[in-house]
Amino acid sequence: MPPTEEHPVHPASKPDTRTLATVAHTAFFLLLGASLVRFLLRHPGEPRTPWILALSITLALLYVLGPALGAAPTTRRLLWLGLVVTTWMVLVVLAPSFAWCAVPLFFTALRTLPPRAAIVLVALLTGFVVIAQLQLAKSFDPNLLLAPPAVAALATAVFVHMERQAQAQRTLIDDLIRTRRELAATERREGTLAERQRLSMEIHDTLAQNLSSQQMLLQAADRTWDTDPATARAHVRTATGIAAHGLAEARRLVHDLAPRELADGAGLAEALRSLDAGPDIEVRFHLEGTPTPLPDRVQSALLRIAQGALANVREHSGARTAALTLSFLGDQVVLDIADDGHGFTEPRTGASTGTGTGTGTRSGTRSADRGHGLPAMRARVRQLGGTLTIESTPGEGTVLSAAIPLEPAP
C-alpha cells in the first residue's frame, strides 16, 4: 500500500523509495521526449502539431509538480493525478505514439492510490496503450494485444510485492524499537529497585544502627545523670563519637550518590567537556565568564541536564553537531545545549518558573514520546529556583537553556 499518515514510510526504506521514484521520473521524461521527437519527425507540418507541443509541455509541467505534493492521497494529490492522466489520454488520442508514457504513470498511480483503485487505473491506462499500439500497427499483431497487459501486470505485481516487504520490514523495525525501549525501561526499573535496596541496607546498617545506639546511650545517661554523673558523661562522650561516625557515613553515602564525572574533585567544566553524544555527533564545549565555585547540587543538576539533553539529541534530533556552553554571569550560571538537528515543528518556550512544556512535534514524532527527559530537567531546575527554556526552528535545530541563580558571595 502507498505510504500515508497512518502508514508512514520508515526512515530505513526512504533511500529505496527515492531511488525508485527518481528512476520512474527519469523514464517518464525520456519516454515523453522520445514520443514527441518521433511525432515531429514522422508528421512534420501537421495541423495538430501545436496541440501536441502544448499538451506535451503541459504534461511535463504537471508531472514536475507531483513530488512537491507528496505521496499521500490528499485531495490536491488526487486532483493532480487526475489532470496528469486526462492530459495524457488526450495526448494519446491525438498521437498514439505517446502511449508508452503510461509505464511510469503505473508507478505514480500505485504510490498515490489505494491498491484496488490503483489497479483499476492501471488497467485503464493499459487499455489505452493497447488501443494506441493497434492504431499504429499496419496489421494485427498479437504481441501488441498481449504485451502491454503483461508489462502492466508484472510492474504491478513487483510494486505490490516490494510494498508488502517494506511494510513487513517497517513493522519488524518498529517492534524491535518498541522492544528495546521496553527492555531499557525494565532495566531502569530494576536498577532503581536494586539501588533503593542497596541504600536501604546501607542506611539500616550504618545510620539507623548509629542512631539506635545514640538513643540507648543518651537514655542511659539520663537515668544515671543524678546518681552517677561520671558514668553519664561517659555515655554522652560515647554517643558523641557514634554521632561523628554516623556523620562520616552520611557524607560517604552522599558522595556515592554524586555523579561519577564529578568525583575526586573534578569541576563541572571538566565534566561537561568529557561528555559525548555518540560516534556520529560532534560535541563541542565552550566556557564563558569567570568560573566560580558552585554548590554540589547545582553541579550535579547541570551535569544531569547536559547528559539528558545529549541523549535526546542522539535519539531524536538527527543532528551532526552539538554545542555545550557554560556561562558564569555573576548572579547566575547558565548552561546552553544547542544542536543542528531538524528541531521541533511546534516549539514552545518554557516559562520563567522553569515549567515550560517544550512540547510539539519533531519531524512528526510527538515530544510526549521522548520519555521523562524533559520533565526531569524541569524538576531539577525548579528545585534550584531556576528556569528552563527551549527554542527551536524547523530545520535549524534546538537550543535548550538552563539558568540557575547563585547566592551572592559574602
Side-chain angles (χ1 to χ4, degrees), residues 268-269 272 285-292 294 298-299 301-303 305-306 323-338 381 384-391 399-406:
L268 178 60
L272 293 175
F285 174 75
H286 306 279
L287 179 63
E288 297 183 356
T290 302
T292 58
L294 298 176
V298 174
Q299 295 190 71
L302 291 178
L303 178 61
I305 289 172
L324 301 177
T325 303
L326 181 64
S327 304
F328 290 87
L329 305 179
D331 60 342
Q332 66 176 348
V333 59
V334 180
L335 175 64
D336 297 317
I337 302 99
V381 172
L384 297 173
T387 60
L388 180 72
T389 58
I390 302 174
E391 298 179 357
V399 178
L400 183 147
S401 180
I404 297 178
L406 300 177

Side-chain angles (χ1 to χ4, degrees), residues 244-300:
H245 180 70
L247 180 59
E249 287 292 334
R251 288 172 174 169
R252 182 185 63 82
L253 287 175
V254 172
H255 182 271
D256 290 343
L257 292 176
R260 176 178 54 84
E261 293 82 358
L262 296 175
D264 301 327
L268 178 60
E270 288 75 10
L272 293 175
R273 187 176 285 109
S274 65
L275 296 181
D276 66 79
D280 297 329
I281 302 177
E282 180 184 0
V283 179
R284 302 168 183 170
F285 174 75
H286 306 279
L287 179 63
E288 297 183 356
T290 302
T292 58
L294 298 176
D296 291 342
R297 60 175 186 166
V298 174
Q299 295 190 71
S300 298

Side-chain angles (χ1 to χ4, degrees), residues 153-226:
L154 180 61
T156 303
V158 170
F159 184 87
V160 171
H161 177 70
M162 291 176 59
E163 280 295 305
R164 289 177 178 175
Q165 282 191 327
Q167 180 62 34
Q169 184 183 30
R170 290 192 292 268
T171 302
L172 177 60
I173 293 175
D174 292 339
D175 290 341
L176 290 176
I177 293 175
R178 182 171 57 254
T179 301
R180 185 178 64 180
R181 289 176 178 172
E182 293 174 353
L183 179 60
T186 301
E187 291 177 349
R188 284 194 298 269
R189 287 194 297 268
E190 292 179 352
T192 301
L193 293 175
E195 183 65 12
R196 287 179 178 176
Q197 183 178 7
R198 185 188 72 83
L199 289 176
S200 66
M201 294 175 61
E202 288 275 357
I203 293 173
H204 176 271
D205 294 341
T206 57
L207 300 182
Q209 294 291 349
N210 288 340
L211 290 174
S212 178
S213 299
Q214 293 175 52
Q215 183 183 30
M216 294 176 60
L217 289 169
L218 293 175
Q219 288 174 349
D222 182 65
R223 288 193 301 268
T224 61
W225 192 264
D226 295 330

Side-chain angles (χ1 to χ4, degrees), residues 32-64:
L32 181 63
S35 300
L36 179 60
V37 171
R38 181 180 186 277
F39 174 83
L40 294 176
L41 292 177
R42 296 199 176 189
H43 307 280
E46 282 206 9
R48 52 179 173 165
T49 299
W51 288 101
I52 297 298
L53 288 172
L55 288 172
S56 299
I57 295 174
T58 302
L59 183 59
L61 293 176
L62 285 174
Y63 200 84
V64 168

